[in-house]
Structure formats: C-alpha cells, structure tokens
Amino acid sequence: MNFSFEVLKTDATGARLGRLRTPRGEIKTPVFMPVGTQATVKSLRNEALEELGAQIILGNTYHLYLRPGHELIGKLGGLHKFMSWERAILTDSGGYQVFSLSELRKITDEGVRFRSHLDGAEHLLTPEKAAEIQLALGSDIAMVLDECIATPAPREIAEAALKRTTAWAKRARAFFLQCASRNGDLRQWQFGIVQGATFPDLRRESAQQLVEIDFPGYAVGGLAVGEPHGVTCEMTAEAARLLPEGKPRYLMGVGRPEQIADYVARGIDMMDCVLPTRAARHACIYTSEGKVLIKNARYAQDQRPLDPACSCSVCARYTRAYLRHLFAAGELTAAILATHHNIHFYLDLLRQIREAIEFGNLAKFSSEVQARYAAGPA
Amino acid sequence: MNFSFEVLKTDATGARLGRLRTPRGEIKTPVFMPVGTQATVKSLRNEALEELGAQIILGNTYHLYLRPGHELIGKLGGLHKFMSWERAILTDSGGYQVFSLSELRKITDEGVRFRSHLDGAEHLLTPEKAAEIQLALGSDIAMVLDECIATPAPREIAEAALKRTTAWAKRARAFFLQCASRNGDLRQWQFGIVQGATFPDLRRESAQQLVEIDFPGYAVGGLAVGEPHGVTCEMTAEAARLLPEGKPRYLMGVGRPEQIADYVARGIDMMDCVLPTRAARHACIYTSEGKVLIKNARYAQDQRPLDPACSCSVCARYTRAYLRHLFAAGELTAAILATHHNIHFYLDLLRQIREAIEFGNLAKFSSEVQARYAAGPA
C-alpha cells in the first residue's frame, strides 16, 4: 500500500496540518476536493484543474454506476484512465445520492432498493455492491455505504440508522478485505462514515463502533443538510474527538467559504462540496470580499476582475462587465470562467488555512473571512 | 492605415495564397474565422482560441447591438478590450440576423425596422447605423448593411434587393469615409457585399456596382442558404471574377469541410461558419475520416481519440468513450472538448489548403477530402 497519512502539526484550536500520501500523489491537508460527479468537474477541462492545483477530486458512485456503468469504466481501465485524470480520486458510496435523487427507495438490512432517476430501472445497492463498484472504478479512496436520513430526525430513527450504518460498515470492510486478500495490493483506501444525526451521544457511539472496525480513515456524514452551523460544528467535534489522531477525517459535503475554517478547527482534514461549481453556474462568484452576484446591473460597466485580490487566470484577463454579459447572454463560456475562478477561490482558501495553521493564527484568519462575508462586496 | 492585402500565389484553379495585414496581426489566407456571436466563441476561452492559432474571429453586430449594446462596449474601450481578445475581429453588419432572427421586419429604402428577438423592442437599422455600431465596436473589418432575401427568389425580388444593397453600400461607404476624415485613422476596414441571389448576371452586376464604390475588400453574401452546392460555387465564381485581384474576398457563412476547398478554388480568401461550433454542441465531430456522431453506441468503449490523425490537445488526451459519456450525461465539458477539436479541425483544414495551394495540388487534396467525407468514418 502506497498510502499514508501524517499529522505534521496541530494548533491550539485542534486544526491539523497534514500530509496524505496516495499512489497518485501527495495531498496537503486540510484539503478541499472539487466535485466531479459524472467523471468531470462540471465545465472544467482536466487541464484547468491541473492549472488550479487540484490534487484530489471526488467522483459520485451513484451517477457513474448508472451511467456509463462501473463495469464499462472498469473494462476501460478504471476511472482515472477513463477520464484521463492522473491525480487522486475519492468516490462516495452512492448512498447519499440514492437517498436524495432516486425514486421508490426501500431500505432493508440487506441494502437499499431504488429506481434510477434516469430510466426508472430498479437497482439494489448493498454494502458489498458499493464496495465492488468502487473497486471497479479504481478510486484511490472509497467510502462505505451508510444510511442517510432526513434531519431533524426522531431519536429512534437516528438510532436505527446508526445501527444499520455500523452493520453495513462491518460488511463493507469484510468484503473489501476479502477482495484485498484475493487480489493483493488494491491501491485503494476504504473509509468508514460516522452517522448519528444531531445527537451528540449517537455521534460518539457511531464513531466508537467504526473505530473498532478499523478503517484507515473516517468520514463524518449526514451533516450540513439543513441544521444550524453551530450544530454541524458540535456534531463534527463530538465525532472527531473519538477518531484516531493519526488517521484522516473527512467531513462530507461542506461547505460555505466562511464555514470551512470552523470545520478545520474541529480537526477535519478533508472536505468536498458542489457549492463552488454549482454557484458558479448560477452566476454567484466567491471573492475575498464576499459573494458577487455577477448578473447584477451594478457590474455592467465594472472593469475590475471578479476579485481584484485573486491571482487566477480568469481574474488576470477578464472583467466583471464581460462576465456579466456572458451570463446575461446565456453563454457556456460564463460557466467555464466562473467555475474556474470559484474553484481557485476554494483551493486558495484552503492554502491560506494551511498557512494560518502553520503560523498559529487560524482563529484570526477565520474571523476575518467571516467578517468579509457578512459585510459583502464593496 | 495599418492594413494591407497581398496575393502571394494563385494556382491553376484560381485559388489564392495571401497575406492580410491588420493592426492586430497578420492573417494567412485562405482563412477560416470562428464565429464569436456574442463576444465569445461558444464554450471556448480565448486562451483556447490562441492555443488553436485562430488569427481572426467574427462577432455579430445584431447580437452585440442588442446586448450588451455597442455604446456600452464602446465606452469600455471597444470589443477587443471588452472580451480581452487582442487578435483581429471581423463584424458583420447585423443585416443577416435581422432577417433571420428578429420579428416584424419592415424594409424601406431608409433601412430595416425590426423588433428585438430578446424583448420585442423596436429598432431601426440603417446603412449608417450599421457602420456606426461597428465603429463603436472597433472591429478590424466591418461589413456594410445589405438586403438579405430568401432564396430561391423571383428575379424581380432579387433585382430590387440588389438595387437597394448597392444604394445602401454607397451610403455606408460615404458615412464611413466621413467618420474617417473627421476622426483620422479609424483602424478599420469596411467591406462591401455582393448580392444577386442565384442569377449569374445579377451577381456580376452587383459586383461591378460595388467595385465602382471602391471598398478595400468584398464579400459575397446570400449564398449557402439552401441552394445546391454547385450553384453556390457558380455564383461565387461569377462574383469573384469581377472583383479586384488585389483585394480580399470573403464568402459569408460557409461551409462544410468538404466544400471549403471548392470555394477557395473560386478565388475566396476568407470564410466563416457556425458549423464547427454548433455541430460540436450537438455531438457531431469533424475528423480526417469524416463526421463522427459521438453519441452513437458504437463509441461506448472506443479508446481512440476523436480523430487519430489529429494533433489537438483534446485528441492528445481524451477518448471517444469519454466524450460519448460526457454527451450522454449532458455535461458542459462535452461542448468544451468537442468545440475545441472541431475548431482545430477547421483551422487545420485551412492550413492544409494553404499548403496544397503552395504545392499546386489543391484539386487532388479537395477530392481526397470529399472522398473521405462521402465514405464516413471507419
């Protein structure tokens, strides 16, 4: 296994500076993973992601399983080769998308039966199947199947989901290790996922049970799905404090720029979110001064870059007036340029956060970002 | 004036190898101009166009006049600065789009009154106004307003349109020269447009009348709008043989890959067409072996590049299987990659045509391309 994780420094807040080594390169943590749902980060060529310095991206198992299919991708040499991306890829388990996108879900202890949102065909996703799909995709990091529930949830629902999540995690781990012993070096790490909704004791219980199973890394799932930010932070902290110091921690599906440092301060090393890419396609630009809604008439003659403090290739060349025009005219180029900038913003934010940890001033940095985002752009 | 045009060689077919000098760079002719309707070549960053070696692109006056408006673009320093494109731009007159896109057109000798396809607002486009808009845009080459008619047209309709086109060309030229004498060096060339529908004698008459007005270059308009390819070629030849040897000739709105060399053989130096960009967005890929309809199931596991003979950055990295998946999944990245390749294909085709003229084998080259396109891809 060419994988390793090392915590290089922990600051007073609990934030960690780390190094995640994968067979496809080294990743500085805390890291933000751009979302490449269908084997592409929407509206970016891989060349752009490389220019932006993305070291790892996320792929969605649910989407790739349904189209073009993990068997086809496996046959063509795996996801990296299929999409021509040589750096690291993390795939989720497909669970969250089954719960949020598909129809007629039926959950049993066996797994989750659902109908495809594409053609209505019926499928069964089990812990073993989710692992099998991700092995075929050949991602560097795979996630176990967990049961995702709507929150706020009654305690008994949360307890049942936790129990099932642990049981599924055990099965997923056993299946994965069996494949590994059969096939030798799998070049893949499998992470467990802590559930427990918004109940601190359930979060702790889930974390403990997963640690007992023994994964090389752990995610915290089922958060940032509508609950207050303070609750997200509290639940993250409850889980993180029981997770092994020396293993990476991944908070799934977060977050807003002004929230990222809060999660890092709870000991989170990895994050992913559709926000920078989705917001970009809706003309919402993240800048060092807050959000710029670029379709606003106030930018019609604005010859400044999207973010005057930004060093990305879009800000070096194009104006707000031009971007506003491209969005108003419905041009694809608008999404290309805005996505490029927003991904740069997120990756740069994480660079600044790593630097702040290094120099011991993450709390100050975080409150500055929050103040700028509260005030909005000039 | 930093403009000049020089015919370097004429081959046996009548094809010309030339050099068009503009204040924004030198253009080797015959040249294909990618279409950047709304101040962007759809789904390409300017960086991509530069990588592809595009020396001149086309902008659409009708679209830019309506949105964001020529006054705004003029105020922000002109179209080049607005869209951050330092190489040459040719703008059309807006006439063709008024006739094809807008509602409630009413043509009088004064000009054409129409309703915007965007908001229904009424506008009047006159020969003077079309020149004024293009001066505000600051394009390197501007076109005069002409009357575009549907073909096949009765002779009396074609005669009336020809007469009006000539009258409008005179007014446009007078207005342009008046502005030039008032403002000094305008850094813009204005081209006349030959009309005459599918009547050889009307094409000749139109060409003669425009030559008398004296433009630095001439376009042939109103062709490739549904008539047989042979007729397009015949009309082009009729017009071209009366146009001055030493001035550039631009055939508007053409053409298909297998037709380009035919136009060049009729003495055409410049062309533009939405085909490579529009076809790309509809998953139609131009290759050295013919058209590849990449959504076809036969490409699902095809690990070859879009065109094995192509040297573009898309073919160097991505497979047909991947492109097929991106199109099937409705990803914007599909349009980005396909457009990049198709524009490369057209620009490379023109490079090959220039080389064929140089070596005196254009006819052979042309029949090879036609044979490949008739046969289709392997």
Side-chain angles (χ1 to χ4, degrees):
Chain A
M1 288 288 259
N2 302 307
F3 288 94
S4 68
F5 180 68
E6 203 180 341
V7 176
L8 304 170
K9 181 181 173 174
T10 303
D11 78 1
T13 67
R16 298 132 57 93
L17 201 64
R19 185 163 46 206
L20 175 63
R21 287 206 176 91
T22 79
R24 289 193 174 83
E26 184 179 300
I27 297 150
K28 290 177 180 166
T29 62
V31 66
F32 178 81
M33 302 179 283
V35 177
T37 298
Q38 303 189 108
T40 174
V41 173
K42 288 185 193 307
S43 80
L44 290 187
R45 284 176 65 152
N46 291 347
E47 289 86 345
L49 286 168
E50 287 158 359
E51 174 191 325
L52 289 163
Q55 288 298 324
I56 177 169
I57 61 173
L58 181 140
N60 284 120
T61 290
Y62 171 84
H63 291 85
L64 295 170
Y65 163 69
L66 291 179
R67 185 174 58 197
H70 62 292
E71 283 161 352
L72 185 138
I73 291 178
K75 195 172 164 185
L76 299 184
L79 184 55
H80 291 84
K81 190 174 174 206
F82 179 67
M83 67 182 286
S84 188
W85 173 254
E86 293 190 348
R87 301 184 185 177
I89 299 176
L90 179 148
T91 45
D92 64 7
S93 70
Y96 182 77
Q97 273 73 31
V98 167
F99 290 97
S100 59
L101 291 179
S102 69
E103 289 165 21
L104 292 174
R105 295 179 303 279
K106 188 159 181 274
I107 305 156
T108 62
D109 287 339
E110 186 190 10
V112 52
R113 198 170 289 280
F114 65 96
R115 286 195 185 279
S116 159
H117 74 293
L118 297 175
D119 61 5
E122 197 175 291
H123 297 269
L124 173 66
L125 190 64
T126 64
E128 293 80 8
K129 182 78 181 178
E132 181 197 323
I133 296 169
Q134 293 174 85
L135 283 168
L137 295 175
S139 53
D140 302 282
I141 300 176
M143 306 302 300
V144 298
L145 183 67
D146 54 342
E147 183 179 345
C148 305
I149 55 173
T151 55
R155 187 176 172 95
E156 57 274 23
I157 301 275
E159 276 174 346
L162 185 168
K163 195 176 157 196
R164 188 172 276 146
T165 292
T166 299
W168 284 0
K170 278 182 193 157
R171 282 166 53 192
R173 192 67 189 147
F175 179 86
F176 180 90
L177 293 175
Q178 193 181 13
C179 294
S181 72
R182 197 167 53 227
N183 302 334
D185 183 359
L186 283 177
R187 300 172 64 94
Q188 187 180 67
W189 253 7
Q190 186 190 44
F191 282 16
I193 306 178
V194 174
Q195 288 289 350
T198 51
F199 302 97
D201 62 314
L202 295 187
R203 286 284 167 185
R204 289 193 296 270
E205 189 181 330
S206 178
Q208 274 162 339
Q209 292 177 357
L210 287 164
V211 170
E212 280 165 27
I213 300 172
D214 190 20
F215 288 95
Y218 298 88
V220 182
L223 289 177
V225 288
E227 79 283 1
H229 176 56
V231 174
T232 315
C233 289
E234 188 198 340
M235 293 304 119
T236 302
E238 289 294 343
R241 82 169 53 110
L242 292 177
L243 295 173
E245 283 284 333
K247 295 185 174 180
R249 303 166 187 161
Y250 161 32
L251 182 57
M252 305 183 82
V254 297
R256 287 198 249 146
E258 68 273 27
Q259 300 172 333
I260 298 282
D262 292 336
Y263 303 135
V264 169
R266 268 71 181 180
I268 291 300
D269 308 302
M270 305 167 70
M271 282 157 284
D272 77 285
C273 194
V274 295
L275 210 52
T277 41
R278 181 175 294 167
R281 296 196 302 282
H282 291 92
C284 173
I285 310 296
Y286 292 105
T287 80
S288 57
E289 311 241 292
K291 278 193 288 192
V292 166
L293 303 177
I294 195 65
K295 286 176 93 166
N296 195 302
R298 68 195 284 200
Y299 303 118
Q301 300 187 28
D302 192 334
Q303 292 191 281
R304 290 176 295 172
L306 291 175
D307 183 353
C310 177
S311 64
C312 85
S313 64
V314 173
C315 287
R317 180 160 190 173
Y318 303 99
T319 65
R320 293 178 177 185
Y322 182 56
L323 264 288
R324 178 182 188 269
H325 161 69
L326 292 180
F327 273 108
E331 287 285 350
L332 295 180
T333 316
I336 299 171
L337 298 177
T339 303
H340 191 101
H341 168 81
N342 274 3
I343 290 293
H344 181 274
F345 179 82
Y346 264 72
L347 297 181
D348 196 56
L349 179 65
L350 271 290
R351 272 189 284 270
Q352 291 175 60
I353 285 175
R354 290 193 296 269
E355 199 177 280
I357 301 171
E358 182 86 49
F359 292 105
N361 55 11
L362 181 66
K364 182 163 164 278
F365 173 79
S366 174
S367 60
E368 281 168 8
V369 171
Q370 282 166 18
R372 284 201 299 268
Y373 265 73
Chain B
M1 289 290 256
N2 302 307
F3 287 93
S4 69
F5 180 70
E6 204 180 340
V7 176
L8 303 171
K9 179 177 175 177
T10 303
D11 78 2
T13 67
R16 298 133 57 93
L17 200 64
R19 183 162 48 206
L20 176 63
R21 287 206 176 90
T22 79
R24 290 192 174 82
E26 185 178 300
I27 297 150
K28 289 177 181 166
T29 63
V31 66
F32 178 81
M33 302 180 284
V35 177
T37 299
Q38 302 188 110
T40 176
V41 173
K42 288 187 195 303
S43 79
L44 289 187
R45 284 178 65 154
N46 292 347
E47 288 85 346
L49 286 167
E50 288 158 0
E51 175 191 326
L52 289 163
Q55 288 297 323
I56 178 168
I57 61 173
L58 180 140
N60 283 121
T61 290
Y62 171 84
H63 291 85
L64 296 170
Y65 162 69
L66 292 179
R67 185 174 59 196
H70 63 293
E71 283 162 350
L72 184 138
I73 290 178
K75 197 172 163 185
L76 299 184
L79 183 55
H80 291 83
K81 190 173 175 206
F82 178 66
M83 66 181 287
S84 189
W85 173 254
E86 292 189 348
R87 301 183 184 177
I89 300 175
L90 179 148
T91 45
D92 64 7
S93 70
Y96 183 76
Q97 273 73 30
V98 166
F99 290 96
S100 59
L101 290 179
S102 69
E103 289 165 19
L104 291 172
R105 295 178 305 277
K106 187 159 183 275
I107 305 155
T108 63
D109 287 340
E110 187 189 11
V112 51
R113 198 170 289 279
F114 66 97
R115 286 194 186 279
S116 159
H117 74 294
L118 297 176
D119 62 4
E122 197 176 293
H123 298 269
L124 173 66
L125 189 65
T126 64
E128 293 80 7
K129 183 77 183 180
E132 182 197 323
I133 295 169
Q134 292 174 86
L135 283 168
L137 295 176
S139 53
D140 303 282
I141 300 176
M143 305 303 299
V144 297
L145 184 66
D146 54 342
E147 183 178 345
C148 304
I149 56 173
T151 53
R155 188 176 171 94
E156 56 274 24
I157 301 275
E159 278 177 343
L162 185 168
K163 194 174 158 199
R164 189 172 273 146
T165 292
T166 299
W168 284 1
K170 279 183 190 154
R171 281 165 55 191
R173 192 69 189 144
F175 179 85
F176 180 90
L177 293 174
Q178 194 182 14
C179 293
S181 72
R182 198 166 55 227
N183 302 334
D185 184 0
L186 284 178
R187 299 174 63 92
Q188 187 179 68
W189 253 8
Q190 186 189 44
F191 282 17
I193 305 177
V194 175
Q195 287 290 351
T198 51
F199 302 96
D201 62 314
L202 296 188
R203 286 283 167 185
R204 291 193 295 270
E205 188 181 331
S206 178
Q208 274 162 339
Q209 291 176 359
L210 286 164
V211 170
E212 280 166 26
I213 300 171
D214 191 19
F215 287 95
Y218 298 89
V220 182
L223 288 176
V225 289
E227 78 282 0
H229 176 57
V231 174
T232 315
C233 288
E234 187 197 341
M235 293 304 122
T236 301
E238 289 294 343
R241 80 169 55 108
L242 292 175
L243 295 173
E245 283 284 334
K247 294 185 174 180
R249 303 165 187 162
Y250 161 32
L251 182 57
M252 305 182 84
V254 295
R256 286 199 249 147
E258 68 273 27
Q259 300 172 333
I260 298 281
D262 293 335
Y263 303 135
V264 168
R266 269 72 184 178
I268 291 300
D269 309 301
M270 305 166 71
M271 281 156 284
D272 78 284
C273 194
V274 295
L275 210 52
T277 42
R278 182 174 292 167
R281 297 195 302 283
H282 291 92
C284 172
I285 310 295
Y286 292 106
T287 80
S288 56
E289 310 243 292
K291 279 193 286 190
V292 166
L293 303 177
I294 196 66
K295 287 175 91 167
N296 194 303
R298 69 196 282 198
Y299 303 118
Q301 300 188 28
D302 192 334
Q303 292 192 281
R304 289 177 296 172
L306 292 176
D307 183 353
C310 177
S311 64
C312 85
S313 63
V314 173
C315 288
R317 180 161 188 171
Y318 303 100
T319 64
R320 293 177 176 184
Y322 182 56
L323 264 287
R324 178 181 188 268
H325 162 67
L326 293 179
F327 272 108
E331 286 286 350
L332 295 180
T333 317
I336 299 171
L337 298 177
T339 303
H340 192 100
H341 168 81
N342 273 1
I343 290 292
H344 181 274
F345 178 83
Y346 264 73
L347 297 181
D348 196 56
L349 178 66
L350 271 290
R351 270 188 286 268
Q352 292 175 59
I353 285 175
R354 290 193 298 268
E355 200 177 279
I357 301 171
E358 181 86 48
F359 293 104
N361 55 10
L362 182 65
K364 183 166 164 277
F365 173 80
S366 174
S367 60
E368 281 167 7
V369 171
Q370 282 166 18
R372 284 200 300 267
Y373 265 75

